[in-house]
Amino acid sequence: MANLFLKQAKHYAAARPDYPAELFQFIASKTARHDLAWDVGTGSGQAAVSLAKLYKKVVGTDTSAQQLAYAPALPNVRYAHTPADLPLEGIHAAVAPPGSVDVVTVAQAFHWLDLPRFYAQTRSLLRAHGVLAAWCYTEPRVGAAVDAVFWRLYNGSQPHWAPNRKMVDDEYRSADFPFDPVDGEDHTGPFEFSTERSMDLDDYFTYIKSWSAYQTAKDNGVELLDEDTVRAFADAWGDDRGEVKTVRYPIFLRIGKVRPESTDAA
């Protein structure tokens, strides 16, 4: 995963949406304790910042040191660079001892993980009945005219996306998620939320340039934001490309708790 984002880490940090407070409040309401959160694939720290308001300590890990360089420093957040092949003992050393984590979160990175390996790590680190919460956001919504151009671009970009992206297109609905529903719920999701960001057209282009598919296409000699596409977006945006519009991102959350028999420590 990390290599796909190396060249556009700055774009990623600048253009990706934040997540709504309601999402984190829902997650926190499902954990019995609020001592320690592990944010996996933390990137530039979007989720870690919000978790830090609800949990005493947060550890954010990522396979990309370049992404972590853009994560904000907070007194109760610690970031760690964790290579993808780090053994379980290394995860314990980098994150926390077994059975000591209240919640594991994965924001817009679940589809990049080796799930069997990740689930073993999660079960080892979580407390009894600890919670795993993984979410993604899907394609932005602006308005009919802009969205029509976007969908032409997005559909045309499919050859440049990694196969894992299909999990996002599916809103994580068919992902293997072997956890029990959290207290008060009868399923593991997806639960739907949304977030908004104010953008002018250049901001919107920066978001597109943060795609892994954009960089993959560029490396293969393809410019997704070619002259015709940029012109089509400009026409759809309106006379003033500096006009700020509200861009909405739908969010889909899978959340569950560890089954008692799967917990390594209390």
Side-chain angles (χ1 to χ4, degrees):
M1 174 184 74
N3 291 338
L4 291 173
F5 295 100
L6 292 182
K7 295 182 180 179
Q8 71 267 45
K10 188 174 182 179
H11 286 320
Y12 196 100
R16 293 299 176 115
D18 294 325
Y19 305 110
E22 294 79 10
L23 170 68
F24 295 99
Q25 290 163 358
F26 178 77
I27 294 169
S29 74
K30 304 302 182 182
T31 63
R33 297 170 62 168
H34 301 87
D35 295 328
L36 179 59
W38 175 27
D39 187 41
V40 180
T42 196
S44 50
Q46 284 96 335
V49 169
S50 294
L51 289 166
K53 299 174 183 177
L54 298 167
Y55 291 85
K56 292 178 182 178
K57 295 181 181 180
V58 178
V59 179
T61 61
D62 204 281
T63 58
S64 170
Q66 287 83 353
Q67 291 271 18
L68 289 171
Y70 291 95
L74 292 172
N76 63 331
V77 178
R78 176 172 59 84
Y79 298 105
H81 177 223
T82 49
D85 59 354
L86 194 65
L88 184 57
E89 294 78 8
I91 293 293
H92 292 158
V95 180
S100 64
V101 173
D102 300 306
V103 64
V104 177
T105 58
V106 193
Q108 198 70 7
F110 184 65
H111 49 289
W112 297 116
L113 301 177
D114 176 343
L115 290 182
R117 182 188 185 96
F118 169 64
Y119 287 155
Q121 296 168 347
T122 296
R123 292 188 180 103
S124 178
L125 266 69
L126 281 175
R127 300 182 187 276
H129 306 293
V131 169
L132 169 63
W135 65 91
C136 65
Y137 53 84
T138 56
E139 293 70 33
R141 275 67 163 168
V142 181
V146 174
D147 293 353
V149 180
F150 176 88
W151 282 109
R152 288 200 298 272
L153 170 65
Y154 184 73
N155 291 335
S157 72
Q158 290 305 307
H160 307 292
W161 288 101
N164 316 54
R165 175 70 190 187
K166 295 186 185 302
M167 288 178 64
V168 176
D169 293 336
D170 184 50
E171 301 164 355
Y172 289 173
R173 293 179 187 277
S174 60
D176 177 40
F177 198 79
F179 295 85
D180 288 340
V182 292
D183 293 347
E185 308 298 337
D186 59 6
H187 62 95
T188 62
F191 297 89
E192 297 187 24
F193 298 83
S194 68
T195 188
E196 294 181 347
R197 183 165 184 146
S198 296
M199 292 181 168
D200 62 18
L201 184 55
D202 288 336
D203 295 331
Y204 189 78
F205 286 158
T206 299
Y207 163 72
I208 292 171
K209 290 177 181 178
S210 76
W211 291 353
S212 59
Y214 180 86
Q215 189 60 54
T216 299
K218 200 171 187 66
D219 289 345
N220 291 326
V222 176
E223 175 54 65
L224 293 179
L225 287 174
D226 58 25
E227 185 176 334
D228 289 342
T229 301
V230 169
R231 185 182 303 112
F233 271 121
D235 290 344
W237 201 267
D239 294 336
D240 180 9
R241 65 185 292 155
E243 178 187 352
V244 174
K245 296 182 183 292
T246 298
V247 181
R248 186 179 70 86
Y249 294 84
I251 295 172
F252 299 90
L253 167 72
R254 297 295 303 272
I255 185 170
K257 64 182 180 180
V258 172
R259 293 165 184 164
E261 65 272 16
S262 299
T263 306
D264 293 333

